[in-house]
Every structure is written in C-alpha cells, then in structure tokens.
Amino acid sequence: MKILIVGAGRVGTSVAENLVSEHNDITVIDPEPSRLSDLQERFDLRGVVGDGSQVSAMERAGAEDADMIIACAASDAVNLVACKIARQVFNVPRRVARIRSSEIPAMPELLGENGFCVDALISPESSVTDYLTKLVEFPEALQVVDMAQGRVSVITMRVSLDGFMANHPLKDLRAMNPDVNAKVVDIMRLGRAITISPETILRPGDELLLIADTIHAHQAVHQMNRSKDQVRRVMIAGGGNIGARVARNLASEGYNVRLIEQSMERCEELATTLPGDVLVLHGNGTDESLLERENIEEMDTWMALTSDDEDNIMSSLMAKRMGAQRVIALINRQAYGELMQGSHIDIAISPSQATMSELLRYVRRGDIVGAHRLRGGLAEVLELVAHGDKKSSKVIGKRISDLDLPKGASIGAVVREHNIMISDPDVVIEPEDHVIVFVPSRDQVRQVEKLFQVSASFF
C-alpha cells in the first residue's frame, strides 16, 4: 500500500515506523529537512520537504497514485486541508486526519464530501485517555481493549498466586464458573508463548490474553487474579490534555481524583474547568514532600502523565517507593517503556501504540472493523466481518475448528446479533458474523485478511 504521511513529529514518526515495518511504500511530508533526514536514515522511506497543506508538496510526494493519506501534523488546520486536497485534487481513496480539537468531531458536517473530505479522525489524546480509564476500571489488567462495539473485552493480565485458577488446568475456567463466557487464547510464560490446550495448567506469573463477554469480564478476571482491591483513590501527575481528560472521566465515574500540575496558570484553568470533586494541586510530581503531604501511600493508583518521560519515570518510582499500590507511567520513547515495564513501574503506556491501534482498522485490508496491537506491538487482535456465502467465502459455513488459521492464531469470539459465542470450536460461521481473531505475530495478519476475503464471483 502506498501511504502518504503529513507531519514528521512524534505521532507522524511513530506511524511511519510502524507502517514501514509492514512493507508499505511510505512517503513523509514535513517542512523540517532535519526531521526527514533522521527518518530516512532510520527507515526505508522517502521524505519530501514541504507543507502538507500545499498542492505542490503533495504532487512532489506522488499523491496522484497514493492509496491513503494520514495527516498527523501538529496543526489541525494543516491536517484538514491536506485531506481536502488529497481528495479533490488527487482523488486519494482513504483519508485520515489527526485532530486535537474536541469541537471538530462534534461537527460531522465539516468532515464529509462537502467539508474537508475526512474519512476518519484519530486523536492520540483520546485514545490514551480511553486506554488509561480502562486500566483503572480493571486494576488487575495490563491492557484492556473493547471490540464489537464494547460487547467483547480483550484483556491482558497475569495470574496471581491467590487467583482461583492458579495451578488449575484451563478447562476448569468454565467448570468453576459455568456462567462466565470467557476464553484464554494465549499464554506467555517466562517471556515465551506456550502451546495451550484444555489441559494446560496456569502458573502464577503467567501472562495471559483473555477474551470475554464484557458483561462477564470482571468475573473472568477475578478468577485469574484477585489480589487487587477495588480502586477508589487516584493521583495524577500532569494536567495537560491527557491528564485533564483522564481526571474528568474518572471523576464522572465516582473516583476520588487528585491532579498535580506544575504551571500555576494551568492549575487555575483546570480548577475552573474540571468537576468540582477533582482536587487540583500546584506542584511537581517528583516533589517527595508534596506526595507525603497528600498521603501517597493511600492511593490505589498513581498515573504520571506529563510530556516528560524522565519526570514520569522518576515520579512513578518515587510514588511506588512511598506506598502507592499501582503506578502507571506515560512513556513516549519505546526503549524507555520496554526497560521500565514490569519493574517498579507496573504499566508503561506508549501513546504511539494506542494511536496505532486506532489507525490499524483503516490500514488493514478487507472488512476489518477493529484492530488492536498487543504485547507492545508484536501481536494483534482483529475484528473481521464475514461476508459472502458458502461458495464465495473460505469461512462461511465452516466450523471454527476447521478454519485454516495461521499457527498460534485463534478465534476468541463470534458476535452474531444478540449472541456472543466464546470458547466453542463447533460454532459455524454465518454471513455478517463479527469474528474476533487473535494473531500472535503481525507477519500473520495478511494470512487472516486473505482468509476472510470474498472471491470476485460474489460481486
């Protein structure tokens, strides 16, 4: 796929890095030559110096035969204009814009064919906010994503020593609680994926991927890990866009939230715009005396959400040492995140991975309505729609157990109108079913896409 990326900032660089690794033809447009030089040294892509909102720059980038444009410059205006030019001048089929403003998504008339011709919006801040809110809702989890319009939850977590399923075979998950509609599709043990079967015994410390009917998600998680108490008190360091969004979301759900912000001007703004039950504190998250005064040891969750990786790491380490039950840090540099994940920092969040999960559904081929990166981007979970009939489709009319899936891949759920079918290999795929597929390696995604493609005879 030939993809144009407008903007070589933090988001654009991350998007380019992820997509070029999947053998796409990538061209990046940015006004700063130094940024493009760095990208071209690191990755197999082309850089074009220019303004992505100018026709001439688009022309030099080869927009006339591009399959997709992803406009993720720092300016909303540049991104919107770039999409409009891509559509009306060069007829680029797919157009995605990164938007910071919360007003634009609420005005769909601005985005359609009579507006800026945007097919889809992505918001890194919104993606990370949703990601963090889910982690507070599921304190046992390392990652939580929703699929099938929120009806199915995909949860990464570890088995605790006192979990009901610890030292029990997988088949006991349904036997111990037959009303829980859930399935384990993958297990990592000591850093390696293991082959699983109903007889596989879960060990404390195993990292597993659980797919569950959202209604039963909390019960299923509790079977694996019951060491966490319900979260009620949350302290956030950083009152930027993400910190403020998370504080607002959590306060609306009834959590006790304290927000630390270094800028007095920003503190005053937050105090007037956030709900009244959010306590806004002026200070720095690395200030030990401030954390002590605010009883950090009583906090169920600490979140470091500033724009500075080093500050987020240091404040999280300090909060953990001073007694915070669980610490979560926002870390932009991938190397830092991999180093800190699972150490004294319980969860390291990469904004780029959250953004990529939002983008994947538009980059993937076939009728994929949802896609999320797992295991730091190594694996994926896809939501595909089964189209066609028995003659034109390789999946319709077949049992799950008979599908030719790549090695290690598995179907976690089939969503059909009012039914969610999990952990049943005898389910037969029907037209318009939404199928949730776990793929352990990104290299195998194309095989799954081909499996669900409809033959030309159907049309």
Side-chain angles (χ1 to χ4, degrees):
M1 184 182 293
K2 183 172 181 179
I3 301 174
L4 296 186
I5 297 174
V6 176
R10 182 176 287 171
V11 175
T13 297
S14 171
V15 170
E17 179 180 0
N18 278 272
L19 295 182
V20 80
S21 66
E22 298 185 4
H23 310 294
N24 293 294
D25 181 1
I26 304 295
T27 301
V28 182
I29 305 173
D30 194 90
E32 293 291 333
S34 58
R35 286 181 175 177
L36 295 175
S37 296
D38 179 60
L39 275 176
Q40 290 178 109
E41 287 178 7
R42 294 165 56 198
F43 309 114
D44 181 18
L45 53 76
R46 177 177 171 233
V48 172
V49 179
D51 182 344
S53 62
Q54 298 293 325
V55 174
S56 58
M58 288 273 199
E59 192 169 28
R60 284 185 285 115
E64 67 277 359
D65 59 352
D67 300 301
M68 182 178 190
I69 181 172
I70 302 172
C72 46
S75 165
D76 287 355
V78 168
N79 295 334
L80 291 171
V81 172
C83 285
K84 190 170 183 67
I85 291 173
R87 172 68 180 91
Q88 295 193 338
V89 179
F90 298 103
N91 199 28
V92 178
R94 299 188 194 181
R95 302 163 304 277
V96 180
R98 178 261 183 104
I99 297 297
R100 290 174 177 267
S101 170
S102 58
E103 296 181 6
I104 292 174
M107 304 175 70
E109 63 273 13
L110 289 176
L111 305 175
E113 290 294 320
N114 294 324
F116 287 101
C117 306
V118 178
D119 291 323
L121 297 177
I122 59 169
S123 168
E125 292 87 356
S126 178
S127 299
V128 174
T129 298
D130 294 342
Y131 195 119
L132 291 164
T133 304
K134 279 292 181 182
L135 288 175
V136 174
E137 182 184 346
F138 288 86
E140 308 89 348
L142 302 172
Q143 184 177 3
V144 183
V145 297
D146 286 338
M147 307 201 82
Q149 297 183 320
R151 298 173 65 190
V152 174
S153 295
V154 181
I155 304 166
T156 304
M157 59 178 300
R158 289 193 179 93
V159 179
S160 69
L161 186 63
D162 59 353
F164 293 113
M165 284 294 296
N167 300 311
H168 283 269
L170 278 176
K171 63 183 181 182
D172 285 359
L173 177 60
R174 180 57 62 92
M176 294 173 77
N177 200 335
D179 296 328
V180 173
N181 200 12
K183 177 183 181 180
V184 174
V185 297
D186 186 60
I187 298 175
M188 295 283 287
R189 180 171 294 164
L190 301 176
R192 293 185 178 182
I194 66 171
T195 303
I196 63 174
S197 72
E199 306 301 325
T200 300
I201 294 177
L202 292 176
R203 303 297 185 195
D206 282 354
E207 183 178 308
L208 54 83
L209 187 70
L210 184 73
I211 295 182
D213 184 329
T214 297
I215 295 174
H216 303 147
H218 282 284
Q219 293 171 270
V221 167
H222 194 61
Q223 293 285 93
M224 305 294 177
N225 187 322
R226 57 193 179 101
S227 60
K228 306 287 186 187
D229 295 326
Q230 190 173 13
V231 172
R232 279 285 166 252
R233 298 174 296 274
V234 180
M235 186 175 287
I236 299 170
N241 287 337
I242 293 176
R245 284 172 181 249
V246 173
R248 183 176 290 107
N249 282 8
L250 295 180
S252 68
E253 296 293 329
Y255 293 95
N256 181 320
V257 181
R258 302 182 190 187
L259 177 63
I260 302 172
E261 168 55 39
Q262 194 168 3
S263 164
M264 176 57 79
E265 183 179 358
R266 179 62 172 166
C267 278
E268 292 171 351
E269 179 184 349
L270 291 170
T272 59
T273 57
L274 289 176
D277 47 359
V278 175
L279 178 61
V280 179
L281 304 166
H282 177 235
N284 192 307
T286 59
D287 184 344
E288 187 172 359
S289 60
L290 173 61
L291 300 189
E292 188 174 7
R293 286 198 308 272
E294 294 302 323
N295 302 314
I296 185 65
E297 72 279 1
E298 297 178 359
M299 294 298 117
D300 300 311
T301 301
W302 162 272
M303 293 184 178
L305 308 180
T306 75
S307 58
D308 188 299
D309 285 355
E310 286 79 7
D311 270 5
N312 289 343
I313 291 170
M314 292 306 297
S315 65
S316 296
L317 293 174
M318 184 178 296
K320 190 70 169 182
R321 180 177 62 81
M322 296 178 70
Q325 292 299 306
R326 187 188 193 211
V327 299
I328 300 173
L330 194 67
I331 302 178
N332 287 284
R333 291 183 61 178
Q334 187 173 348
Y336 282 8
E338 291 173 353
L339 186 65
M340 302 310 300
Q341 174 80 34
S343 60
H344 293 293
I345 294 177
D346 296 300
I347 301 178
I349 301 294
S350 166
S352 64
Q353 289 298 334
T355 304
M356 279 309 302
S357 287
E358 196 172 354
L359 266 175
L360 285 177
R361 61 178 292 189
Y362 308 110
V363 177
R364 294 282 175 246
R365 299 172 178 86
D367 199 350
I368 294 179
V369 296
H372 292 276
R373 289 271 170 89
L374 306 170
R375 290 192 200 151
L378 298 177
E380 286 188 20
V381 61
L382 309 172
E383 178 184 347
L384 304 104
V385 181
H387 287 312
D389 51 33
K390 291 182 180 180
K391 292 182 179 180
S392 60
S393 170
K394 299 175 185 176
V395 299
I396 289 176
K398 291 189 176 182
R399 296 187 306 170
I400 288 176
S401 57
D402 295 333
L403 296 182
D404 185 21
L405 292 168
K407 182 179 179 181
S410 63
I411 292 180
V414 176
V415 182
R416 180 182 303 155
E417 293 184 350
H418 304 296
N419 296 324
I420 298 176
M421 293 160 282
I422 294 176
S423 191
D424 186 352
D426 293 324
V427 168
V428 175
I429 305 294
E430 296 182 0
E432 305 309 311
D433 280 351
H434 284 234
V435 185
I436 312 297
V437 184
F438 167 71
V439 187
S441 170
R442 283 160 50 189
D443 295 336
Q444 299 171 323
V445 169
R446 185 60 183 145
Q447 293 174 254
V448 176
E449 291 173 340
K450 287 182 177 179
L451 181 64
F452 278 79
Q453 283 178 347
V454 180
S455 67
S457 62
F458 178 69
F459 302 100

